[in-house]
Amino acid sequence: MIELQNVAMSYGGDDLLADMSLKIAPGSFHFLTGPSGAGKTTFLKLCYAELMPSSGRLTLFDQNVTAMGRDDIARLRGRVGVVHQDCQFLDHLSVAENVALPLTVSGRPIDAGELVELLAWVGLRAQADALPPQLSGGERQRAALARAVIQSPDILLADEPTGNLDWEMSLRLLKLLVEFNRMGKTVMIATHDLNLIRTAKQQVQTRVLRIANRRLQLAGADL
Amino acid sequence: MKRLFVTMIAGDPRSPDRVVPPTGFTARLTVLTAAAMAFLAVFALALSLATGRLADRWSDALARSATIRISAPPDQMAAQTRSVLEVLETTPGVASFRALEQDEMRALLDPWFGPDLPVESLPLPQLIEMTETGDGIDAEGLRLRLSAEAPGAVLDDHTRWRRPLVAAAERLRTLGLISLVLICVATAGMITLAAQAALAANGQVIRVLRLVGARDTFIARAFVRRFTLRGFAGAGAGTVLGLLAVAALPDAEPAGGFLTGLGFQGWHWLWPLVIPPLAAIVAFVATRAAALRMLRGIR
């Protein structure tokens, strides 16, 4: 699904990530952890082709990402759902329209019934007509999750999704992510919240990756 | 859910237009620019068409007329005038001719010497006005016959001053057309700047759209459609105002000459209707190029 072979990523000549090799299998649940500034967000951006590796080979769905055109990348984003810490909505559109945005841009029909069902799944049915600035932090994260999964992507990438949430709301979001994974989807969450990782390990089989000293390491024994 | 369903019923929710928030400043700027340029384009078009008519008219009218000037001593003037008239009667290609009366010659001199000048006391030449048929005359042959029959007669077929006048009118027409092209280029430039401003102001929107899988053509379409419609609407308003202004110009009068003839005649009034669609095409091309160029820099 996602395969990295000796991938490096550098900004302005300085290596931020180096010599990273990894295979992410379909249906797996990964946590990506590491100190702030270690490169977790950069790693995720590589995984949905917002950034290109400086060297090495990165394969997404059996396609070499450096050989992909702009339209190929746009199509790829239909198979990769992304949840950012700051969510990034179009503030002039309603929550429902924001959630349906991936369908809108790909020209696929919007089934109002399914959309209502999805909003109900993330607990935002009552907020469908609200504008994003009217939502709380937890509601925004759940709306971003709904938008990320509306096309039923093969993989979901979440960057610090609980960073601005209280523990109760974090657990609620984690529950949704675990449910999504149980549908056979791959999930990767970048977080530095070790409690969240420990809680998730009680619910689902997870693999924990750590970025330290610019390299990717397997973690887990210490969690 | 009400808004969702209203949106679905009232309009196409997949329209690229809706994903970009309305931008008041660039909208007003584009409409204003298109209106101003269309207004100028109407005048450039009117100038171009009027000078074209003028060139044709001068060329046609002067090419078919000639003047014979007889300068002779007073005692020979009548005889030489008679001889010239007799020559003209038998010259092929002459449609009509007549000797100008004293009053007519005085009228010609009035603008230069004023009405009080005693022109009778001046040794004025006799002028004979002549018009040609469509086939025209053999000017050299006529000159030879005149020199033999009336040595004081000189044929002036207006070539000397017709050419520069026609050339000037042709240049004015060319300048009008160049103005139209420059107006198009300036419109494209200003709409490009406005589109780039709109794209820059919507950088966050574009990043979100790319994130959820929007292709460049989808994003560009939202801006292109908007600017095309604004260009068309602005140019439509400017064209109407321009037409009203042209219609308000004084009517063409023989005494007014060129300036009062600046306008449209007959079916030429339809030409300005080309301006709004042309502005829309310019806006479409300019915005699309600007949008795709800018989007290439965003992954």
Side-chain angles (χ1 to χ4, degrees), chain A residues 123-136:
Chain A
L124 292 175
R125 187 172 178 165
Q127 287 84 357
D129 289 341
L131 294 175
Q134 297 171 308
L135 299 182
S136 69

Side-chain angles (χ1 to χ4, degrees), chain A residues 48-50 52 70-71 73-74 77 84 88 90 92-93 97 104-105 107-108 110 112 116 128-129 131, chain B residues 1-5 7-8 13-14 18-19 21 204 208 210-213 215-216 218 295-296 298-299:
Chain A
Y48 61 90
E50 184 170 334
M52 290 287 140
R70 295 179 62 77
D71 285 350
I73 290 172
R77 303 251 166 97
H84 280 283
Q88 300 186 352
L90 302 185
H92 65 290
L93 298 183
E97 286 170 321
T104 304
V105 302
R108 290 169 60 182
I110 300 168
V116 172
D129 289 341
L131 294 175
Chain B
M1 297 310 294
K2 192 174 72 187
R3 186 184 298 178
L4 173 66
F5 288 112
T7 305
M8 284 181 171
R14 283 168 289 168
R18 280 194 44 75
V19 300
Q204 172 67 10
V208 172
R210 285 291 298 170
L211 181 71
V212 298
R215 297 167 67 178
D216 287 353
F218 177 91
L295 289 170
R296 274 197 291 273
I298 300 171
R299 292 199 77 85

Side-chain angles (χ1 to χ4, degrees), chain B:
Chain B
M1 297 310 294
K2 192 174 72 187
R3 186 184 298 178
L4 173 66
F5 288 112
V6 167
T7 305
M8 284 181 171
I9 293 165
D12 182 1
R14 283 168 289 168
S15 166
D17 271 18
R18 280 194 44 75
V19 300
V20 180
T23 45
F25 172 69
T26 53
R28 285 193 293 275
L29 182 69
T30 311
V31 172
L32 188 68
T33 300
M37 289 301 177
F39 187 83
L40 294 175
V42 170
F43 276 94
L45 194 59
L47 172 76
S48 190
L49 290 171
T51 48
R53 282 197 307 272
L54 198 66
D56 292 343
R57 200 165 64 229
W58 282 348
S59 181
D60 193 47
L62 294 175
R64 292 182 179 212
S65 69
T67 307
I68 295 170
R69 189 180 69 247
I70 304 166
S71 302
D75 57 325
Q76 295 177 23
M77 184 63 88
Q80 289 206 24
T81 301
R82 262 194 316 277
S83 300
V84 169
L85 295 174
E86 283 168 10
V87 167
L88 290 177
E89 268 179 5
T90 56
T91 302
V94 175
S96 65
F97 56 89
R98 67 184 186 89
L100 264 60
E101 300 294 333
Q102 200 65 250
D103 288 347
E104 289 177 288
M105 289 199 287
R106 182 189 287 119
L108 288 173
L109 291 172
D110 272 358
W112 308 98
F113 297 108
D116 300 329
L117 192 76
V119 290
E120 296 84 358
S121 61
L122 294 174
L124 290 177
Q126 173 66 52
L127 296 178
I128 295 174
E129 187 183 78
M130 180 184 84
T131 56
E132 300 171 21
T133 62
D135 296 334
I137 56 164
D138 172 12
E140 285 310 307
L142 180 59
R143 279 195 183 95
L144 285 173
R145 289 182 66 198
L146 289 174
S147 63
E149 302 288 336
V154 176
L155 172 66
D156 181 1
D157 61 0
H158 305 155
T159 306
R160 189 161 36 90
W161 57 285
R162 183 178 72 208
R163 280 188 186 144
L165 271 179
V166 172
E170 291 285 2
R171 273 184 201 147
L172 271 175
R173 172 158 58 180
T174 308
L175 280 175
L177 292 174
I178 290 172
S179 301
L180 279 174
V181 173
L182 289 177
I183 286 168
C184 275
V185 172
T187 306
M190 282 191 252
I191 288 177
T192 298
L193 287 176
Q196 281 178 339
L199 286 158
N202 286 293
Q204 172 67 10
V205 171
I206 292 169
R207 273 190 292 278
V208 172
L209 291 174
R210 285 291 298 170
L211 181 71
V212 298
R215 297 167 67 178
D216 287 353
T217 48
F218 177 91
I219 301 170
R221 207 157 59 228
F223 292 92
V224 167
R225 186 164 184 273
R226 190 170 288 192
F227 277 85
T228 302
L229 289 175
R230 287 173 190 165
F232 184 77
T239 301
V240 169
L241 291 175
L243 283 170
L244 289 174
V246 170
L249 285 173
D251 287 338
E253 291 170 18
F258 165 69
L259 282 176
T260 53
L262 180 63
F264 301 105
Q265 287 179 5
W267 67 271
H268 282 178
W269 281 99
L270 296 176
W271 267 115
L273 300 182
V274 173
I275 294 172
L278 186 65
I281 291 169
V282 168
F284 176 88
V285 172
T287 312
R288 186 174 164 82
L292 292 179
R293 191 170 55 246
M294 190 162 181
L295 289 170
R296 274 197 291 273
I298 300 171
R299 292 199 77 85

Side-chain angles (χ1 to χ4, degrees), chain A residues 144-155:
Chain A
L145 175 61
R147 185 181 66 186
V149 303
I150 194 166
Q151 292 202 90
S152 191
D154 297 306
I155 184 165

